[in-house]
Amino acid sequence: MSFQAIEYQMIVLFLAMALGFVARKLHVMSEESDKMLSRLVLTITLPCTILASVLTRDSLPDPATIGTILLFSCLAFALVLAIAFAVPLLFGLNPSKRGTYSFMLAFGNTGFLGYPVLEAVFGREAVLYGAIFNIPFNILVFTVGVMMLSQSERSLKEQVREGARNLISPSLIACLATMALALLNVTDIGVFGEAIDTMGSMTTPAALLIIGSSLATVPVKTMVTHFRTYIMAAFRLLIIPVCIWLAFSPFVADPLLLGVLVVVNGMPVATNGTILCLRYGGDLNTIIRGTFVTTALSLVTIPVLAALVGGV
């Protein structure tokens, strides 16, 4: 399939961000509205999105295949998290920024961009693989990810306590429920699944409006001239997925599974990072800058990754 589908998704993303940018400049949106909208997303619409990834599908792979995908997804995340924690330390970043950079390295936009990219590169079946991959992703982003963003000068004990407070959240409950439903092969539940999917469809536009609104507060020069952002982007978009390919290609017999693992780990910074920053703290300007730069550069890097794993 042509990469026009990927480019189309990128254009949609940038236009939606632009609307949020204009809304903030016209004072239709504000810091307070961003925080309230992010709370709505985290407590209602995002949990619905997570549940809908299973409840609106006609079928799922068999339990053995699901278990295999989950296993290699968790192993891949273990490698990615090791890189995400190590790189900021190697660059000697201030502790108040270290967690935000770790988050950007660890968590990519596997939903809004991930699904259409997987379909464009590998076909419809890959979307199912991506949905299963997103189960451990969502569990980790609301535990380890929140701990990264709330990291500051506080002690490790305080950071662990903060992470523990966020363990029980609507989104994490939805992740655990989705995993159980997937293993039980509970998929299409009719009108209730459609209702959940409708609520979940609000997540992406809301997240993009929040990012665009937040972009309006950052000077344009700062967005494109920060050297460390490009170093982070190189790791997020190319180095990390290449490491995944080198580490797993000798062991993963299924070429589709290997391709999915490589490509989803090369997505730009997760859009929900901005929402989580607004909710739990973190360096908001840094994560907005990283989201913008990696999204723009991924238009070039995603086809490179697809060629690497034989998707084109």
Side-chain angles (χ1 to χ4, degrees):
M1 184 181 293
S2 170
F3 279 99
Q4 289 178 345
I6 300 172
E7 295 173 8
Y8 179 85
Q9 291 297 324
M10 297 296 187
I11 293 171
V12 169
L13 185 148
F14 275 110
L15 289 177
M17 285 185 183
L19 285 175
F21 184 93
V22 172
R24 184 64 172 266
K25 291 297 186 181
L26 295 177
H27 305 291
V28 175
M29 297 184 71
S30 64
E31 181 179 357
E32 185 62 28
S33 70
D34 288 354
K35 289 181 179 179
M36 292 181 67
L37 189 56
S38 66
R39 183 176 299 178
L40 175 68
V41 169
L42 289 173
T43 57
I44 297 178
T45 71
L46 184 56
C48 288
T49 299
I50 296 167
L51 288 169
S53 68
V54 168
L55 293 179
T56 58
R57 298 191 178 278
D58 295 329
S59 63
L60 287 172
D62 60 82
T65 302
I66 291 175
T68 300
I69 299 170
L70 284 173
L71 172 62
F72 281 107
S73 296
C74 291
L75 292 174
F77 269 117
L79 175 58
V80 172
L81 287 173
I83 296 172
F85 280 113
V87 170
L89 286 172
L90 292 175
F91 281 94
L93 290 175
N94 186 289
S96 62
K97 293 182 178 290
R98 196 179 296 157
T100 304
Y101 273 91
S102 290
F103 182 96
M104 293 191 293
L105 290 166
F107 300 106
N109 191 345
T110 59
F112 178 65
L113 282 181
Y115 291 148
V117 166
L118 288 177
E119 184 172 7
V121 176
F122 301 110
R124 182 65 182 172
E125 185 181 359
V127 178
L128 294 175
Y129 281 54
I132 298 168
F133 174 89
N134 269 344
I135 293 172
F137 170 91
N138 283 305
I139 292 173
L140 289 168
V141 79
F142 289 104
T143 51
V144 178
V146 168
M147 187 182 297
M148 287 172 172
L149 292 177
S150 61
Q151 181 175 315
S152 64
E153 302 288 348
R154 294 173 298 173
S155 66
L156 178 60
K157 181 179 179 180
E158 291 173 318
Q159 293 171 27
V160 171
R161 188 181 298 119
E162 175 69 21
R165 282 199 294 266
N166 297 315
L167 278 174
I168 305 301
S169 67
S171 295
L172 184 58
I173 292 171
C175 291
L176 297 175
T178 298
M179 181 179 292
L181 291 168
L183 291 173
L184 294 172
N185 201 32
V186 177
T187 55
D188 190 351
I189 60 171
V191 65
F192 295 105
E194 291 297 325
I196 291 172
D197 187 43
T198 299
M199 292 300 299
S201 66
M202 297 172 58
T203 300
T204 293
L208 295 172
L209 284 172
I210 292 168
I211 292 171
S213 175
S214 301
L215 280 171
T217 66
V218 182
V220 175
K221 183 178 179 180
T222 303
M223 293 292 297
V224 297
T225 59
H226 201 276
F227 179 71
R228 282 176 175 165
T229 301
Y230 290 95
I231 297 296
M232 179 278 299
F235 274 91
R236 168 103 290 277
L237 299 174
L238 288 176
I239 297 175
I240 286 177
V242 168
C243 287
I244 294 292
W245 181 73
L246 291 173
F248 289 94
S249 57
F251 307 104
V252 179
D254 182 355
L256 178 58
L257 174 55
L258 179 63
V260 169
L261 288 175
V262 171
V263 172
V264 295
N265 277 295
M267 291 293 107
V269 172
T271 53
N272 59 7
T274 300
I275 297 173
L276 292 171
C277 261
L278 287 167
R279 178 67 179 87
Y280 297 110
D283 188 342
L284 183 61
N285 286 349
T286 295
I287 205 163
I288 291 169
R289 184 169 57 240
T291 302
F292 176 82
V293 169
T294 55
T295 300
L297 294 178
S298 65
L299 188 58
V300 176
T301 59
I302 287 173
V304 171
L305 293 177
L308 173 67
V309 296
V312 293

